[in-house]
Every structure is written in C-alpha cells, then in structure tokens.
Amino acid sequence: MSHLTDKARAPYRGEAGGLPGPDSLEAIVAENPTRRTLLRNGLFGLSVIPAMALAACDDDGNPIVTVPPTPTPSPTPTPTPPPSFAISFAAVAANQDDRVTVPDGYTADVLLKAGDSVEAGTPYSGSFPASPAVAEKWAGGGHDGMEYFALPEVDANTRGLLAMNYEYPDFNILMAGDYDPAAASADQKAIALSAVGIGVVEIAKGGDGKWTVQAGSTYNRRYTGNSSYRAGGPAAGLLSGSIKGMLNNCSSGRTPWNTYLTCEETMDNYLDPAQPETNYGWVVEIDPLRELAVPTKRTAMGRFNHENVAFMASTDRRVAFYMGDDTTPGCIYKFVPDRAYSDTNRAANTDLLDYGTLYVARFNGDGTGEWRALVVGENGLTAGALDPGNTSQSTTPPTPTTVDFNNQADVLIKCQQAARVAGGTVMDRPEWLTVAPDNSAIFCTLTNNSGRRVADPANPRIRNLHGHILKFSEEGDSPLATKFSWEIFLSAGDPALAAGGSNLVGDIEGDTFSSPDGLRIDPQGRMWVQTDHSVPGSSGVDGTTIDGTFGHNAMFYVDQQNKQSKRFLVGPLGCEITGLAYTPDLTTFFVNIQHPTGDWPVAGEAPRSSTIVVRRTDSQPVGN
Ligand code: FEO
Ligand code: CA
Ligand code: CA
C-alpha cells in the first residue's frame, strides 16, 4: 500500500442495481458516430462470398457456373519484417528530477489526471469540487493497477477500454486541510469516497500517435466508494445486502473472460468507519462492457489486504488466480474455481468465482512448497483453532489466540487467521504476482519488511528494508497443482549501502532498486518491475537518503536469466510508480504515477496522480 493509505488506516486497524445490459448498438453509435463504420465493417465487411458459389441455373435447371478470370500475377510483395521485442533501449540514469524520464526515442504523455472527467461533467480546474455529485464523475486519486480491454470488432491497438484503480484520494484537489472521518461533514465524506474505486474510460490513438480519453463514450463509468455493490460466494450472506462502496483499490487483474478484478487493500472502511468491516477486503469483479453481473465482491477469494490478481490458465480452460496479502507480514494465496471457464459463452462465467477452493502457500526450507486448502474442517480449520499469530516480527513468539471456524464463511472472513492456522508462510508484504506466458513460473514481489526479526528460507533477511522477488513453479506447470518448487529470484538493495550491513546490498545486476511492488511479465515474456520505496525513507545507512541511493521511484526491465536490470523510466518527485497495461502489439504502455508531491503533471498546479502513455516515437514496440 502507499504510505498515505497506511497512515490513514492506522487508527482503524484492530449504483449497481440494475446496470444496463449490453449497450445497444444504437446507443453506442449515438454517443460516438465513428463507431458506426467500425461496427458495420466488423459485422459485414469480412463477409466476402466466393464467386464460385454464386451459381444461377440455365433453362434446364442445370447450374451455370461462372469461372472467374485467371488473375494476373502480381509481384511478390516484400515481406514486412516482424516487429522486434528485443530489449535494446538505452537505460536511463537514476535521478531526482521532477518529471517523467524515459529513454531516448520515447515519449511520455499524460492521459488522465485525478480530477479529469471520466463521466460527463465539469473537471477539476483549480477549485475544490462544489458538491459530491461533481467529484463523483471525476477520475479518482492514487491511480494504481489497471487493465486494457479490447472492444468488440475494434482494432485494440488503436482503441479500447482502460479500467483503472483509485487507491486513495488526492485530497489536495478535494478539500482544504486534513480529512478526518470523525469530524467530516456528510458532503466531505461523500467527496472523499468519490475519489476511490475504479474508473473505466474509452481511449483512442489519434493520427499523431497520441492517446486521448473519448469524452461522451457510453463505456465511460465510475464505480466509487459511494456506489452500491453486491456480494457473491460462501460469505455473501454475512455481508450487507447492498454494500456501500469499495475502497483502497490497490492493484488489479483480469479474468480469461475479460472482466476486471479490482482489489480492496483494506479490511475496514477507514474513510467511513460507520460501515461494517466485513464488507471490505475483497476482490470485486466488474465487467467493463457491462454485459455480465453487476459489480460483485467475490467472497470465495478470501478477505485480506488484497494487492493484485494474476491468473494461470491451462489449455483445457482450468484456471488459478494468484493473490498476495500486502500485510506486514501476509501470505500468498491462490483460488481455483471448481469449473473450467467457457471461452465461447461469456455469460456462463458469470458466477464462476463464487465456487472453488482457496489455498495458502507454504514455503518449505528445501525449495519445495505446498498449497494448503482453506476449507472448513481441513488443515486445522475447526472451532477452537489456535492461531499462532505473526511469528516473524518478534523473537518472542506471540501468544496464540483461539479462533472459531464453524463454517466456510468464517474461514473466508477471517482469512488471515485461517491461513496461519493452516500453516501458510507469512511473507514480507506480498505485492504483485505475475505468471509467465508459458505457465513455467510465477513471480511475487515482497516489497519490504523492516520489522522482521525472525528470518525463514523464503524471507531470509531480518530488517528487510529493500525487499526481494520470489519465483515459484507449479508441479507440471498446472494451475491445479497442490505442490510447487520455489527460489529467491532477486534480492533488492545496492552495494553502495554495504556500510549498513550485507542485508542492504542485494544481488541485482545492473541498475539497482528498493521495494519492488508493481510486477508484470508481458505477453512477450519480458519482466517489468516498478518500485515504491517510501519518500522520505531510510536507506539503512545514516546520512544517506533512499532517494539519494536509488533516485526517485522507477520502472525497470529485468532479464529473467541473468537478472540484469535496466532502468526504463523514472518518476517525478514523491511518487510511486505502479500500474502497467499495454496494447496487444506492445507499442503502447500505460503506467500510473501515484501521489506525486512536486510540480507535476501541470506546472504551477496542484500535483495529481496521473496515468501516462509511454511509447516509441517510431511506433515500434516498447523495449526496442
Ligand atoms: Fe497499494 Fe500494496 O500497494
Ligand atoms: Ca507499495
Ligand atoms: Ca502496490
């Protein structure tokens, strides 16, 4: 989580109904006339009927077959060379500039700032919102995870939908002073809640290569901390019938049937503490096309401080969803639906995430691992179970506490305790997971845990200030496996910090970093790492700041074979870098800049979390 949400949550630790069905063709066209041509071409443009099939009959009823003339041979076209996905960009240097730095030959354009319009209305222009209704239509704040979705019959390399998370309000554009939920007026509370949740925007690439939000698109939609959500799955009956809001939407994921999975990285509503806590801490499934279910909290996937979701699918359409609990410390989970998904009938997947088995990962010292089912009655999950607590943060073990797991809803709502009872390994704040395209490996960023006092093989550093990345492989590369093998892929740090002890050095080859957070292996198998070291933060060496060692938070390419790291992008003052989505041809990368504090993105205006578009000026794939 960002340091802002961590601070806001500290005191609290211890419109969905009847969304329209598929948008009608006429509604889409009315909002966006250019779509008519695209849709028409998509529906009819490819229906070329072979001339041989167009047979009439002669007077005797015998078919007359018209043989087309022999075509004149045309010259053999020069084949277009396939695009290169080689990594050949010139790495950028660590810096503390108040701007986005990208390699030579690249551009970075701002696409959507906090306060820009998502739904039609008056955007932020230097004044606080006049009412909650105004802010409710804006892009929220703390831009984080996002996914890019194709539209039916549209070239996704030039137009599509971007769904993105808003983790935390950019309060500096919303209201004066600090937000205090205990003292906030109803309007202030509603304004704060308007700035979390998600936004969906239709975006398109213009002739100049620049991407813009398509104002007025019927797909543009906000889902906020004030909207209503339903719950599905085994614990649904214990949640409110109509849940007010989702929040702390940190990172995200998608399903193979192209719905968006947005993750609540909080187990209480710290912006509106009057709400029941059990309503929060879930994965929420939202269909950006608005064809399937209304936004639904999927309780079968467990309640914890969800970071992201990454799926692995087999050729027979079985799927596992991998998830991290960004807690100090937290466990790694996977959820396996009972059924294969359908790739021919999207609607058949509507409730797929309500039925399945949730597992927690246990990392053994010999490099093996196992998935332990979080099912009532199994692995010690019974009434009167003993939770060992967080055993990593003190050399004096905590006193175990008694927890009752009387049914599966208990297991899911008290998921962190269930995971520890079942023997799950408590990890150094699991942030993103990502799955290699060939299913051969899964990677997880363990961002840091400066409070760790008891090491274990998978979390080998006490006072883990800079974090590490874990790699594991499922038995048989199967999403259904219950066993895996694992290794530490990379330990973050910098040799310049050796004076503070070997724990701070790490083993990164090339450009070093601290606190890996965002993590994605793109469809060409290339790994991208985004960082979130706290600013200000400790490097571990007195007199040396963390920015002084690593520069501003940044994004890196990391070679999975030789672990060579190349710095690709550096963010402006005070931000974290997070969120990564791309077009299918990988010529356009979408990246989020969260909570900047300087004079960015617009000079002379309040700093705002923003989505940027990164691309090569010669339109070749990113990475070249
Ligand atoms: Fe919202 Fe764990 O980062
Ligand atoms: Ca983080
Ligand atoms: Ca994160």
Side-chain angles (χ1 to χ4, degrees):
M1 66 191 66
S2 79
H3 66 94
L4 296 173
T5 53
D6 194 38
K7 185 177 163 197
R9 288 187 52 200
Y12 302 99
R13 285 204 180 92
E15 96 236 55
L19 272 178
D23 290 320
S24 70
L25 176 66
E26 286 314 308
I28 297 169
V29 168
E31 291 286 349
N32 192 343
T34 59
R35 185 71 52 73
R36 184 185 298 280
T37 307
L38 292 162
L39 287 166
R40 190 177 53 222
N41 289 346
L43 291 170
F44 308 118
L46 299 177
S47 302
V48 179
I49 302 169
M52 285 292 284
L54 294 175
C57 295
D58 67 10
D59 291 346
D60 300 325
N62 297 317
I64 303 169
V65 177
T66 306
V67 179
T70 306
T72 308
S74 53
T76 306
T78 306
T80 307
S84 168
F85 297 98
I87 295 293
S88 52
F89 68 85
V92 300
N95 68 60
Q96 297 182 62
D97 299 341
D98 195 13
R99 65 190 180 97
V100 174
T101 309
V102 289
D104 288 344
Y106 284 75
T107 62
D109 303 313
V110 175
L111 176 71
L112 187 68
K113 308 181 290 296
D116 287 351
S117 290
V118 169
E119 298 184 16
T122 307
Y124 172 80
S125 61
S127 305
F128 297 136
S131 71
V134 170
E136 193 79 1
K137 299 181 186 306
W138 292 0
H143 300 38
D144 206 310
M146 59 186 157
E147 292 282 340
Y148 182 74
F149 294 92
L151 284 163
E153 313 295 344
V154 174
D155 176 7
N157 292 316
T158 58
R159 182 181 287 267
L161 300 182
L162 195 59
M164 73 173 70
N165 279 6
Y166 303 121
E167 178 179 328
Y168 189 75
D170 279 31
F171 277 114
N172 59 330
I173 66 167
L174 297 178
M175 59 189 71
D178 291 337
Y179 175 76
D180 174 2
S185 68
D187 271 6
Q188 285 174 324
K189 207 172 275 186
I191 286 172
L193 291 166
S194 76
V196 293
I198 77 160
V200 178
V201 283
E202 182 176 348
I203 57 175
K205 185 163 79 169
D208 59 358
K210 291 193 175 183
W211 288 76
T212 51
V213 172
Q214 302 301 286
S217 164
T218 56
Y219 290 104
N220 294 352
R221 182 64 64 106
R222 281 297 320 277
Y223 304 86
T224 76
N226 296 306
S227 310
S228 299
Y229 302 82
R230 68 176 285 266
L238 297 184
L239 277 56
S240 301
S242 175
I243 298 167
K244 180 187 175 184
M246 57 177 180
L247 76 161
N248 223 109
N249 299 69
C250 179
S251 191
S252 55
R254 68 195 302 147
T255 61
W257 51 98
N258 288 318
T259 53
Y260 187 58
L261 299 175
T262 178
C263 301
E264 292 184 302
E265 197 189 27
T266 178
M267 293 163 61
D268 54 56
N269 191 330
Y270 58 89
L271 295 175
D272 183 4
Q275 303 301 314
E277 290 191 349
T278 49
N279 283 348
Y280 308 97
W282 304 105
V283 171
V284 189
E285 184 180 20
I286 297 178
D287 180 12
L289 296 176
R290 305 206 298 275
E291 293 175 344
L292 303 182
V294 297
T296 302
K297 301 200 176 191
R298 298 295 182 190
T299 66
M301 301 176 83
R303 174 172 170 261
F304 45 88
N305 296 314
H306 279 276
E307 180 70 23
N308 86 328
V309 183
F311 75 78
M312 174 191 288
S314 62
T315 51
D316 56 356
R317 291 171 282 100
R318 294 303 303 271
V319 61
F321 295 90
Y322 298 89
M323 305 175 284
D325 175 8
D326 183 1
T327 298
T328 313
C331 291
I332 294 172
Y333 301 80
K334 78 168 174 180
F335 175 72
V336 180
D338 287 340
R339 315 192 307 265
Y341 68 89
S342 172
D343 55 3
T344 55
N345 178 9
R346 195 167 182 248
N349 304 313
T350 297
D351 64 352
L352 200 80
L353 298 180
D354 286 344
Y355 303 93
T357 305
L358 183 66
Y359 299 87
V360 66
R362 179 181 176 86
F363 295 85
N364 300 319
D366 61 358
T368 66
E370 53 193 291
W371 292 108
R372 294 199 170 172
L374 299 180
V375 174
V376 68
E378 298 182 23
N379 292 312
L381 299 174
T382 59
L386 275 187
D387 171 14
N390 289 331
T391 53
S392 64
Q393 305 307 95
S394 170
T395 53
T396 305
T399 304
T401 54
T402 301
V403 191
D404 289 329
F405 299 106
N406 294 310
N407 49 53
Q408 188 60 18
D410 281 348
V411 171
L412 297 168
I413 287 174
K414 295 180 271 192
C415 197
Q416 293 173 322
Q417 291 139 300
R420 294 190 295 258
V421 167
T425 305
V426 292
M427 313 292 291
D428 289 342
R429 292 186 54 200
E431 295 253 24
W432 291 40
L433 289 120
T434 188
V435 178
D438 64 358
N439 290 357
S440 64
I442 302 122
F443 293 83
C444 181
T445 48
L446 298 157
T447 195
N448 55 49
N449 180 0
S450 59
R452 181 175 280 273
R453 295 294 179 269
V454 179
D456 64 46
N459 303 274
R461 298 196 282 194
I462 61 165
R463 296 183 172 82
N464 184 6
L465 219 56
H466 299 306
H468 56 293
I469 300 177
L470 201 80
K471 174 183 180 182
F472 58 100
S473 297
E474 296 278 33
E475 191 173 70
D477 295 341
S478 168
L480 308 184
T482 56
K483 293 187 171 65
F484 58 86
S485 58
W486 68 271
E487 62 186 89
I488 304 276
F489 169 65
L490 172 155
S491 296
D494 191 290
L497 301 174
S502 58
N503 253 6
L504 306 177
V505 173
D507 60 4
I508 297 173
E509 299 285 336
D511 294 334
T512 62
F513 52 80
S514 172
S515 305
D517 185 339
L519 178 70
R520 269 228 152 133
I521 299 179
D522 71 26
Q524 289 294 324
R526 308 174 306 172
M527 176 185 281
W528 304 92
V529 177
Q530 301 168 319
T531 69
D532 178 21
H533 61 249
S534 292
V535 183
S538 169
S539 71
V541 174
D542 288 345
T544 304
T545 66
I546 201 159
D547 269 0
T549 304
F550 299 101
H552 287 169
N553 278 307
M555 175 168 159
F556 300 79
Y557 165 78
V558 179
D559 186 300
Q560 291 158 70
Q561 268 64 53
N562 62 22
K563 306 181 187 182
Q564 191 78 30
S565 165
K566 287 178 75 175
R567 191 181 294 97
F568 174 71
L569 176 154
V570 180
L573 184 68
C575 76
E576 76 175 80
I577 305 295
T578 185
L580 179 56
Y582 18 69
T583 52
D585 63 6
L586 299 180
T587 62
T588 304
F589 273 32
F590 305 98
V591 174
N592 277 329
I593 308 292
Q594 188 181 127
H595 59 67
T597 56
D599 194 24
W600 187 92
V602 182
E605 293 186 4
R608 295 191 257 171
S609 300
S610 299
T611 302
I612 60 170
V613 180
V614 180
R615 58 192 171 84
R616 281 182 60 101
T617 50
D618 65 2
S619 301
Q620 291 301 300
V622 169
N624 283 191

